[in-house]
Amino acid sequence: LRSPELVRLGEHRGELHYTTREILALEKSVLATVEAMQRQRYLLPTHWTEEAMARHSHLTGEQTDALRHLCAARGGLTLIHGMAGTGKSTLFAVAREVWTQQELSLHGAALSGKAARGREEAAGIPSTTLHRLLGQLRKGDRVLDDRSVVVLDEASMIGTRQLAEVVAHCARAGAALALCGDARQLQAIE
């Protein structure tokens, strides 16, 4: 606790929370990058989304609001939060239809192979593990551009360093980044 690298964040639900100077600086950098990404995003025509909602009348009101939010713009960051069983996979299956109509390239990832396979099977978004995606991006085996959408499943479990790297790749390319998950899941393993 006396280490100069330790930063006390404060109390939450009766527990003291700490971080390191390195992680705090990295988080501030990620937030600055995301703010810059948000300024560069631009709105898309809404007819693709509205047509998809008409074809999928089973969507709930929350799902249609989320779909509009998710598919409204190209570039930038979109957050989708929902507990398990609330229909996120259904939402992303319809979003995939909208993105495919716009001829966008989709890149899904999750920490575990099982979660990545689940996203791919349930929503039809080609998915891999986050480690593999990052490796492919580093080597240039996978290239993002301003017509790319990266969907990270179980995003609340992704460590700060990995998230910072994904955000940096998306920002450089002008790609859209969608973070999906439940904030009440396990803490990031990292």
Side-chain angles (χ1 to χ4, degrees):
L1 291 176
R2 290 187 192 127
S3 170
E5 290 303 306
L6 200 63
V7 177
R8 181 179 168 170
L9 296 176
E11 191 175 318
H12 180 70
R13 296 184 184 164
E15 288 185 10
L16 289 176
H17 289 260
Y18 298 88
T19 191
T20 63
R21 292 187 189 284
E22 174 203 0
I23 294 297
L24 188 59
L26 191 56
E27 288 175 349
K28 287 179 181 180
S29 172
V30 167
L31 289 173
T33 303
V34 166
E35 286 175 6
M37 288 171 69
Q38 295 301 87
R39 287 191 296 273
Q40 294 172 356
R41 68 188 250 152
Y42 57 93
L43 296 178
L44 294 170
T46 61
H47 69 275
W48 287 296
T49 306
E50 299 302 321
E51 289 169 3
M53 289 186 306
R55 285 192 308 274
H56 296 278
S57 58
H58 62 279
L59 295 176
T60 67
E62 286 182 340
Q63 286 173 317
T64 58
D65 290 345
L67 185 67
R68 284 187 184 105
H69 175 65
L70 195 55
C71 297
R74 183 152 330 134
L77 173 74
T78 306
L79 304 174
I80 299 295
H81 174 267
M83 296 185 309
T86 57
K88 293 186 300 288
S89 293
T90 300
L91 165 68
F92 275 94
V94 179
R96 179 197 41 81
E97 287 181 23
V98 174
W99 291 327
T100 301
Q101 284 180 316
Q102 297 170 26
E103 298 180 352
L104 302 178
S105 63
L106 306 180
H107 309 268
L111 278 178
S112 73
K114 182 179 180 182
R117 281 188 303 279
R119 173 62 63 218
E120 187 163 348
E121 291 169 3
I125 296 173
S127 299
T128 188
T129 64
L130 180 59
H131 286 91
R132 177 173 284 171
L133 174 67
L134 288 172
Q136 291 171 337
L137 290 170
R138 286 180 203 125
K139 290 186 209 173
D141 293 341
R142 185 181 300 232
V143 178
L144 303 177
D145 60 26
D146 65 348
R147 298 194 57 77
S148 299
V149 178
V150 177
V151 177
L152 295 185
D153 200 11
E154 297 180 348
S156 65
M157 294 173 53
I158 296 172
T160 302
R161 289 179 187 92
Q162 292 171 315
L163 183 60
E165 188 175 350
V166 172
V167 167
H169 282 288
C170 289
R172 277 193 299 273
L177 175 59
L179 302 180
C180 172
D182 178 0
R184 287 174 249 172
Q185 281 180 309
L186 299 172
Q187 290 291 318
I189 294 167
E190 188 181 274

